[in-house]
């Protein structure tokens, strides 16, 4: 028998925090899309970050949708963590994942059609993405044979966390090399940070109600995703507001100037 909520206020808080995180995380994708549209340029946005982000959110969508909708996987989860444990994926998690995949795909389309200077996706990133999806495909056929679907989801969790750790590094390095965050939206980071904090609070509401921390280590992917994201959000805020603030107060450079700066960076690298 599955568990139910013991406290109505905690349940309401759980739902409110979950949808607040959904709103923050979902809106966080739009400032970059709007900025790209207004500039008709993606110079300053790291393409490796976007491609890795698509892989991460696609894996996250597979994990969330599978655990939320599949009764078979839900039973395997309870067999492992306890029959009275609540499923650690909420409707807002699924909704966010769908939105994230769509908006990241739109950003990739903008990269294809807008001015991108001399920037391009690195071969290393292409290799990482190919290896990740090849591994996922192999594990799928292994799981298909013995129906170990929860184990397969753990593979997608590993991909999620790996992509999350890796994806932020190129953008952080690019900001450092350019000594600027021009062309890259800080609003994305502020909203992402707010969503991450709300996500932790949401998980805490469930743990307090159930007097159990299983939903933390039973959904380690969600836990680590938020932890890593918050760490890099803080790093990016330091870059934007402390290390390289002067460039943000100047009038936006023209596309030609931005392209020249990007070409100079490519030559140095």
């Amino acid at each position: 028998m599955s568990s139910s909520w013991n406290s109505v206020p905690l349940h309401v808080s759980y739902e409110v925090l979950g949808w607040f995180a959904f709103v923050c995380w979902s809106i966080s994708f739009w400032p970059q899309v709007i900025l790209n549209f207004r500039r008709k340029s993606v110079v300053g946005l790291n393409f490796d970050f976007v491609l890795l982000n698509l892989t991460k959110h696609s894996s996250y969508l597979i994990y969330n949708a599978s655990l939320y909708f599949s009764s078979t996987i839900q039973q395997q989860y309870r067999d492992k963590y306890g029959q009275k444990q609540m499923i650690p994926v909420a409707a807002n998690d699924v909704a966010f994942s769908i939105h994230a995949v769509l908006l990241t795909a739109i950003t990739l389309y903008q990269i294809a059609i807008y001015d991108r200077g001399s920037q391009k996706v690195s071969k290393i990133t292409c290799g990482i993405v190919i290896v990740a999806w090849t591994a996922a495909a192999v594990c799928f056929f292994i799981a298909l044979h013995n129906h170990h679907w929860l184990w397969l989801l753990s593979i997608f969790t590993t991909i999620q966390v790996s992509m999350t750790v890796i994806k932020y590094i190129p953008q952080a390095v690019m900001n450092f090399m350019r000594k600027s965050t021009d062309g890259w939206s800080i609003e994305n980071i502020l909203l992402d940070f707010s969503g991450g904090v709300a996500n932790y609070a949401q998980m805490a509401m469930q743990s307090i109600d159930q007097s159990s921390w299983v939903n933390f280590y039973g959904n380690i992917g969600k836990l680590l995703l938020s932890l890593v994201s918050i760490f890099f959000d803080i790093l990016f805020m330091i870059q934007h507001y402390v290390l390289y603030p002067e460039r943000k107060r100047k009038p936006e450079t023209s596309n030609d100037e931005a392209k020249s700066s990007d070409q100079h960076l490519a030559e140095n690298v």
Side-chain angles (χ1 to χ4, degrees):
M1 179 178 177
S2 60
S3 182
S4 60
W5 285 90
N6 300 310
S7 168
V8 173
L10 286 174
H11 188 190
V12 172
S13 298
Y14 174 88
E15 294 293 342
V16 171
L17 287 167
W19 286 106
F20 176 77
F22 163 76
V23 170
C24 289
W25 278 340
S26 296
I27 295 176
S28 72
F29 287 85
W30 286 97
Q32 186 66 58
V33 171
I34 295 171
L35 180 62
N36 296 341
F37 174 76
R38 287 177 175 174
R39 297 169 71 232
K40 296 297 186 291
S41 171
V42 289
V43 173
L45 171 65
N46 190 276
F47 303 163
D48 293 346
F49 169 83
V50 180
L51 183 58
L52 292 167
N53 209 24
L54 182 62
T55 302
K56 176 255 182 176
H57 285 301
S58 297
S59 301
Y60 196 39
L61 174 59
I62 292 171
Y63 175 89
N64 285 332
S66 299
L67 190 53
Y68 187 78
F69 291 110
S70 173
S71 58
T72 299
I73 298 177
Q74 290 176 4
Q75 185 56 51
Q76 290 181 4
Y77 178 89
R78 293 190 176 103
D79 288 342
K80 181 176 181 178
Y81 294 106
Q83 295 300 318
K84 293 185 178 181
Q85 293 301 323
M86 299 177 70
I87 298 302
V89 175
N92 63 273
D93 295 317
V94 179
F96 164 72
S97 296
I98 294 173
H99 182 272
V101 170
L102 290 175
L103 265 292
T104 307
I106 290 174
T107 305
L108 274 177
Y109 176 71
Q110 289 182 318
I111 289 174
I113 65 174
Y114 291 152
D115 173 37
R116 53 185 177 272
S118 61
Q119 293 178 211
K120 58 184 180 181
V121 178
S122 70
K123 293 180 179 179
I124 294 177
T125 293
C126 290
I128 291 173
V129 170
I130 291 173
V131 169
W133 286 113
T134 300
V138 171
C139 291
F140 170 78
F141 287 107
I142 294 175
L144 186 63
H145 175 70
N146 50 31
H147 303 289
H148 288 174
W149 302 119
L150 188 63
W151 169 80
L152 179 61
L153 291 191
S154 72
I155 301 301
F156 282 105
T157 294
T158 301
I159 294 176
Q160 296 167 39
V161 176
S162 299
M163 294 301 107
T164 302
V165 172
I166 298 171
K167 74 173 185 175
Y168 288 111
I169 296 175
Q171 186 68 60
V173 172
M174 175 178 278
N175 294 344
F176 171 75
M177 295 293 291
R178 298 170 73 232
K179 297 297 185 288
S180 170
T181 57
D182 289 341
W184 181 72
S185 175
I186 188 61
E187 289 82 2
N188 169 21
I189 296 305
L190 297 176
L191 289 164
D192 188 60
F193 179 79
S194 299
V197 173
N199 175 68
Y200 273 126
Q202 181 195 29
M203 296 177 74
M205 293 300 103
Q206 182 175 331
S207 292
I208 293 171
D209 181 83
Q210 299 294 303
S211 299
S212 169
W213 297 99
V214 170
N215 71 302
F216 275 91
Y217 62 78
N219 192 7
I220 192 67
K222 185 176 181 180
L223 177 66
L224 292 178
L225 289 176
S226 294
L227 181 62
V228 173
S229 295
I230 288 175
F231 170 79
F232 277 99
D233 288 341
I234 294 173
L235 173 63
F236 287 133
M237 284 188 279
I238 292 173
Q239 284 186 320
H240 183 82
Y241 292 112
V242 179
L243 299 179
Y244 320 124
E246 71 284 350
R247 291 290 298 274
K248 304 301 291 185
R249 291 195 292 267
K250 294 180 181 179
E252 183 178 331
T253 58
S254 67
N255 284 346
D256 291 338
E257 291 173 333
K259 185 187 300 183
S260 175
S261 174
D262 181 65
Q263 291 173 341
H264 178 68
L265 171 61
E267 292 173 358
N268 289 339
V269 174

